[in-house]
Amino acid sequence: MEICGLVTQNKESVPLKSISVQVRVQDHVATVSSTLQYVNEEERPLEALFVFPLPADAAVCHFSAKIGEQEIVAEVQDRESARDQYDDAVSSGRQAFLLEESPESPDVFRLSVGCLSAGQNAAVTIIYITELAVQADHSLRFCLPAVLNPRYTPAGSGAGIISEISSGCGAVPYTLTLSVHVSSPKPISKLESNCSLDPLVFLQSDHTQATVNLSPGHMFDKDFELFVFYQDTHQPSAIVEAGVTTAPPGSLMRDPVVMISLYPEFPEEVMSSLATRDEFVFVIDRSGSMGSMMHYGKEAQMRIESAKDTLLLLLKSLPMGCYFNIYGFGSHFESFFPQSVVYKQKTMDQALKRVKEMKADMDGTEILQPLKHIYSQRCHPEHPRQLFVFTDGEVGNTKEVLDLVKSHAHSHRCFSFGIGEGASAALITGMAREGSGHAQFITDTDRMQPKVMQSLRFALQPAVVNISVDWTLPDGLTVDTLSPPINVLFQGQRTLIYAQGESSGGSGGTVTVKYSLKDQPVTNQLHFCLKPTEETGLSIHRLAARTLIRSLEQEERSGAADVEGIRSRMVELSVQAGVSSVHTAFIAVNKDSRQTVKGPLQQRRVSAYDSDEDDDMCYGLPQMGIRRYFACFKYSNDDVYDDIYDVGYDALAEAAPEPQKDLLLQLVSLQKASGCWDLDATLADVFGKTEDELTNQKPAQVDGSVWATLLALIWLYGCKIEQQVEWQFVAMKAASWIGSQKVGDLSQCVCVGNVLLGCQVTKETLGI
């Protein structure tokens, strides 16, 4: 049974006919306008519920409905008041629309469409603003989610998302059109997407403005991703936005707001050394859905197999002397070792053997319990804990998970990875934010390994402490920082600061960020102009309001004494700025209807729980090619069972060619924990040589292991330089090991190795 989009209790189809999206990207801020076209094809009035995903950090700032020629613009109101108005309007036969954020997860919104007359059209427009995240290749990523996967909710948690989820399908009953306009002070290098685009059109000769459209025929069977590449992406910048003169004096919307984008630069001498005393804990999702494919191209891997290859790279890249452990989780969890162990050859071999045996066989996605267990483990003195979490799923208790991570932020950093379409942005970005780490998303044809190794590079950077932000402004000007205190900085990653000023007079100001790195004081400064930027609307104000609201939500969840005061401040800020929050909702009622809707109301919503405890509720997941998935949730005695049925996979597997050997992973798998390689036939096979060919060319001054390790380095730099981000730490360990052997000048050995492997690599390039 497949259920796609908006459905009735009788599993009937959705009246959503089309989605039109306009995206305006200004530097690293995107304003997204989505119009959803509904048609009531019933012979009676209709009430419908549509559940859909938005970016977790989006600020929803506009909601309107157009019925015929009449447009109704929604107002932001207290949530309970808005619900009461909606219920009153629907019960009296008036057309009404209610948009509210899910209390369980900030990336899920519910749109209630009430009292559409038979045959009537309604166009609903939602506008939101979001910051674009910096990727490993320095691009900025915009994502329009196509699917909200069924979320695994732990038994007895009471979370209610799971039963109201609507998923995308291969044959969705609506169409998507999308246009993008990009502008920036920096020239645009290129735009890339995982979907087909029409040719890019530059509007200015200096390439600072461009437009592009999604090619016709897009089926919306996967997330739409756009990657924006600018020249000089890592330049710090500031945007000053003027306030609204009609807003109350002293309010956020009245005063100017500044958004500072910083890219901290760490001293080179600090970055040249690896941290060697950390504890690394890898947490791997082993639920049934990890058995699905990373993508549907020719050389696709199962998600669990890609995760296993990534674990191999991670384990080989760890520095000697650290601690590590690996957890697998689903509806239960298990660890490789009772507690973290010292990284050495024996423990690495034990872990690799377990990694090879890992399968996607642990049912649901319950991440809270393994995290509680990990946090209950004693931290090793002088070994800071680094937590790596991999999941392709959604959970119904996102906020509970984030609260747990936040409560242990003082003792660890959390690096999170969302795998595949539909991984919860709120969960992935939230865990990294609360755990002072970094989030990555691996979708479509992305390789998991480069993104994970970028995060390992961040994890190996020393922790930045004693961070302070100071402002230098002309006399008479003051500023209040709106962003929460900065608790994490990484080399090469953007940090945003929002602040509210009393005036925008004066020529310029300076923001200074000071911090300590390995006991060394570091200072980064940015000078900026105080003149307001043109044509930003109120996007910076609304993002600043969203930032403040999220901080207040965290205060409320942390058990602050004045909960009512915090909630009141949140509602006031949300209403004033016109952005959504967990305590407010957008409400639109057609008060000018000359004739109320008559007749019984046909409801189209999925109930919170099926009335028959033994019935299964099935939700269709995206259908691509011949592979089809169904996630079925059975409610019985308060337990939730999550099973994935894979239809037609055997036929696909039989038709698929044998995958080619990955020579890089083959080489990495042979490296010892210390960083060296043995001179043997398996290593020679990677190079396409025989063991005798390697042995016969070995210079007399070095032993077999040094020669083998030198050849491995030459091959990596000579044949796999395009994948350097994946093997950078493997190579650093190898070079460090060779240096420890005190074998003298290796220039002649490098020359012989180059001839043997057909490479042209210098000794200096190898780092030895």
Side-chain angles (χ1 to χ4, degrees):
M1 183 187 302
E2 290 183 88
I3 301 174
C4 309
L6 191 62
V7 295
T8 67
Q9 288 179 319
N10 296 326
K11 315 298 189 272
E12 295 170 359
S13 63
V14 171
L16 177 63
K17 291 299 180 183
S18 67
I19 301 177
S20 174
V21 181
Q22 293 180 312
V23 183
R24 184 175 183 84
V25 178
Q26 293 176 284
D27 205 5
H28 58 265
V29 174
T31 302
V32 185
S33 176
S34 299
T35 299
L36 293 76
Q37 186 76 42
Y38 290 92
V39 179
N40 180 11
E41 297 175 342
E42 303 285 340
E43 296 179 356
R44 63 184 72 182
L46 171 74
E47 182 186 13
L49 173 69
F50 189 61
V51 182
F52 57 97
L54 288 179
D57 292 329
V60 178
C61 59
H62 174 89
F63 174 48
S64 62
K66 189 174 183 180
I67 303 172
E69 295 302 314
Q70 183 179 15
E71 184 177 23
I72 314 164
V73 179
E75 299 175 350
V76 180
Q77 295 187 10
D78 176 85
R79 188 186 191 112
E80 295 307 317
S81 173
R83 284 178 171 176
D84 289 343
Q85 282 194 54
Y86 176 82
D87 291 339
D88 289 346
V90 171
S91 62
S92 62
R94 294 187 181 277
Q95 293 154 341
F97 302 83
L98 181 71
L99 178 70
E100 53 187 332
E101 181 182 308
S102 164
E104 287 87 16
S105 187
D107 64 342
V108 179
F109 280 77
R110 294 182 175 92
L111 172 60
S112 300
V113 181
C115 279
L116 282 183
S117 301
Q120 194 169 47
N121 294 329
V124 174
T125 299
I126 300 164
I127 300 177
Y128 66 87
I129 307 165
T130 187
E131 300 147 354
L132 303 184
V134 181
Q135 303 300 293
D137 58 4
H138 309 310
S139 67
L140 299 175
R141 175 181 181 260
F142 167 74
C143 178
L144 184 70
V147 58
L148 190 58
N149 283 345
R151 299 193 169 189
Y152 185 85
T153 304
S157 70
I161 285 183
I162 191 170
S163 59
E164 295 186 355
I165 294 305
S166 51
S167 309
C169 275
V172 290
Y174 47 85
T175 59
L176 170 71
T177 58
L178 185 144
S179 63
V180 181
H181 180 279
V182 182
S183 62
S184 173
K186 301 180 282 286
I188 302 160
S189 299
K190 60 180 177 178
L191 300 183
E192 293 182 351
S193 176
N194 63 332
C195 302
S196 297
L197 300 175
D198 289 346
L200 179 68
V201 177
F202 286 104
L203 304 180
Q204 302 284 349
S205 59
D206 59 2
H207 286 197
T208 56
Q209 291 191 46
T211 62
V212 71
N213 295 323
L214 183 65
S215 298
H218 180 68
M219 293 303 298
F220 214 11
D221 54 357
K222 59 184 176 182
D223 293 354
F224 169 79
E225 291 182 293
L226 181 74
F227 299 92
V228 181
F229 292 82
Y230 295 126
Q231 294 179 23
D232 302 321
T233 305
H234 280 196
Q235 291 301 311
S237 63
I239 300 175
V240 179
E241 184 178 84
V244 181
T245 55
T246 55
S251 67
L252 172 65
M253 301 307 290
R254 176 70 173 260
D255 292 336
V257 169
V258 59
M259 178 173 69
I260 303 290
S261 303
L262 295 175
Y263 292 87
E265 291 295 328
F266 295 169
E268 189 174 338
E269 61 271 19
V270 174
M271 296 303 297
S272 62
S273 61
L274 273 179
T276 59
R277 300 174 63 86
D278 291 1
E279 176 194 10
F280 297 90
V281 181
F282 305 109
V283 184
I284 312 297
D285 188 342
R286 288 177 52 186
S287 62
S289 57
M290 285 290 287
S292 58
M293 308 302 284
M294 287 291 294
H295 60 88
Y296 291 85
K298 283 171 57 180
E299 298 180 1
Q301 277 186 302
M302 284 196 295
R303 292 171 182 174
I304 191 66
E305 294 301 321
S306 183
K308 288 162 66 172
D309 287 348
T310 303
L311 276 175
L312 166 66
L313 263 180
L314 283 167
L315 286 171
K316 294 290 184 173
S317 300
L318 294 181
M320 292 290 282
C322 71
Y323 284 78
F324 80 102
N325 204 351
I326 299 174
Y327 285 74
F329 74 93
S331 54
H332 60 286
F333 69 90
E334 62 185 32
S335 61
F336 283 16
F337 306 100
Q339 57 190 24
S340 294
V341 295
V342 175
Y343 178 77
K344 54 187 177 182
Q345 189 65 42
K346 180 180 178 180
T347 53
M348 186 191 76
D349 288 342
Q350 290 172 338
L352 287 172
K353 182 180 178 183
R354 293 283 299 273
V355 167
K356 289 179 181 178
E357 298 167 354
M358 283 174 54
K359 296 179 181 178
D361 57 359
M362 296 180 73
D363 300 324
T365 310
E366 187 170 345
I367 195 171
L368 190 63
Q369 294 308 314
L371 289 179
K372 284 183 176 180
H373 178 79
I374 291 166
Y375 292 142
S376 72
Q377 298 282 308
R378 179 181 61 86
C379 289
H380 296 273
E382 306 301 321
H383 291 77
R385 180 172 288 166
Q386 315 283 356
L387 185 64
F388 282 63
V389 179
F390 299 78
T391 180
D392 71 342
E394 312 261 3
V395 297
N397 56 345
T398 300
K399 290 188 176 179
E400 193 176 354
V401 172
L402 299 188
D403 288 343
L404 178 67
V405 175
K406 181 179 176 65
S407 68
H408 291 274
H410 62 283
S411 62
H412 83 302
R413 290 192 290 189
C414 182
F415 298 85
S416 51
F417 305 88
I419 304 169
E421 309 291 344
S424 169
L427 180 68
I428 303 304
T429 59
M431 290 184 71
R433 181 185 64 247
E434 303 298 359
S436 303
H438 185 253
Q440 299 270 22
F441 290 89
I442 300 113
T443 58
D444 204 46
T445 55
D446 286 347
R447 279 176 57 82
M448 190 182 299
Q449 289 86 347
K451 293 194 172 186
V452 174
M453 299 314 289
Q454 184 202 28
S455 289
L456 179 62
R457 179 163 59 86
F458 290 155
L460 289 170
Q461 291 179 19
V464 174
V465 296
N466 302 326
I467 304 171
S468 66
V469 178
D470 297 310
W471 301 83
T472 304
L473 300 168
D475 290 341
L477 297 184
T478 59
V479 69
D480 289 327
T481 302
L482 304 174
S483 303
I486 300 173
N487 58 9
V488 58
L489 289 172
F490 292 115
Q491 168 91 340
Q493 277 302 110
R494 183 185 67 210
T495 296
L496 293 177
I497 303 172
Y498 292 96
Q500 174 183 354
E502 288 185 2
S503 166
S504 57
S507 57
T510 302
V511 60
T512 304
V513 180
K514 297 180 180 179
Y515 49 91
S516 296
L517 192 68
K518 277 195 169 180
D519 298 324
Q520 291 188 32
V522 182
T523 299
N524 293 153
Q525 278 191 333
L526 171 66
H527 302 281
F528 61 93
C529 177
L530 287 170
K531 183 181 178 182
T533 308
E534 301 293 331
E535 297 183 0
T536 57
L538 289 171
S539 58
I540 306 304
H541 278 76
R542 285 168 173 151
L543 286 172
R546 190 273 334 262
T547 299
L548 258 180
I549 288 168
R550 291 287 183 255
S551 296
L552 290 168
E553 286 175 356
Q554 291 172 12
E555 278 188 54
E556 181 186 29
R557 294 202 307 271
S558 65
D562 186 18
V563 173
E564 286 304 317
I566 292 172
R567 186 169 300 183
S568 175
R569 171 72 175 128
M570 235 187 293
V571 171
E572 178 188 15
L573 191 59
S574 177
V575 171
Q576 187 188 103
V579 298
S580 59
S581 78
V582 72
H583 293 304
T584 53
F586 283 88
I587 175 70
V589 178
N590 189 356
K591 299 176 182 177
D592 299 327
S593 297
R594 296 182 182 179
Q595 185 176 358
T596 56
V597 177
K598 306 294 184 183
L601 199 61
Q602 174 74 28
Q603 282 203 340
R604 288 200 171 201
R605 53 170 93 217
V606 180
S607 59
Y609 289 94
D610 197 301
S611 59
D612 184 346
E613 284 190 337
D614 294 326
D615 284 348
D616 289 349
M617 298 173 63
C618 301
Y619 299 86
L621 296 175
Q623 175 184 332
M624 306 179 196
I626 65 172
R627 189 182 176 100
R628 300 173 68 186
Y629 298 94
F630 301 97
C632 295
F633 300 86
K634 180 162 183 160
Y635 299 86
S636 177
N637 299 324
D638 294 325
D639 288 330
V640 181
Y641 300 93
D642 178 1
D643 297 309
I644 300 295
Y645 295 91
D646 193 347
V647 182
Y649 176 67
D650 291 341
L652 179 65
E654 290 173 9
E658 186 72 23
Q660 290 186 332
K661 288 182 179 179
D662 188 321
L663 293 179
L664 173 59
L665 288 177
Q666 208 172 326
L667 177 75
V668 170
S669 69
L670 299 174
Q671 189 185 33
K672 302 294 184 182
S674 61
C676 70
W677 276 265
D678 288 337
L679 187 63
D680 57 24
T682 53
L683 179 67
D685 185 54
V686 173
F687 303 147
K689 305 288 183 182
T690 66
E691 185 178 0
D692 285 345
E693 286 178 288
L694 301 191
T695 304
N696 293 339
Q697 294 295 319
K698 181 181 77 66
Q701 70 189 82
V702 296
D703 66 17
S705 291
V706 172
W707 177 234
T709 304
L710 192 61
L711 289 176
L713 279 174
I714 292 171
W715 185 84
L716 286 171
Y717 281 99
C719 303
K720 294 293 178 181
I721 191 65
E722 74 281 357
Q723 291 176 250
Q724 184 175 7
V725 69
E726 299 181 40
W727 50 259
Q728 57 184 315
F729 299 114
V730 166
M732 288 175 69
K733 283 175 67 173
S736 178
W737 180 85
I738 289 176
S740 70
Q741 302 305 299
K742 297 182 174 57
V743 291
D745 186 22
L746 292 174
S747 300
Q748 184 60 34
C749 296
V750 173
C751 290
V752 175
N754 275 324
V755 172
L756 179 62
L757 300 180
C759 299
Q760 294 181 326
V761 179
T762 65
K763 187 183 76 168
E764 290 71 28
T765 299
L766 300 180
I768 54 177

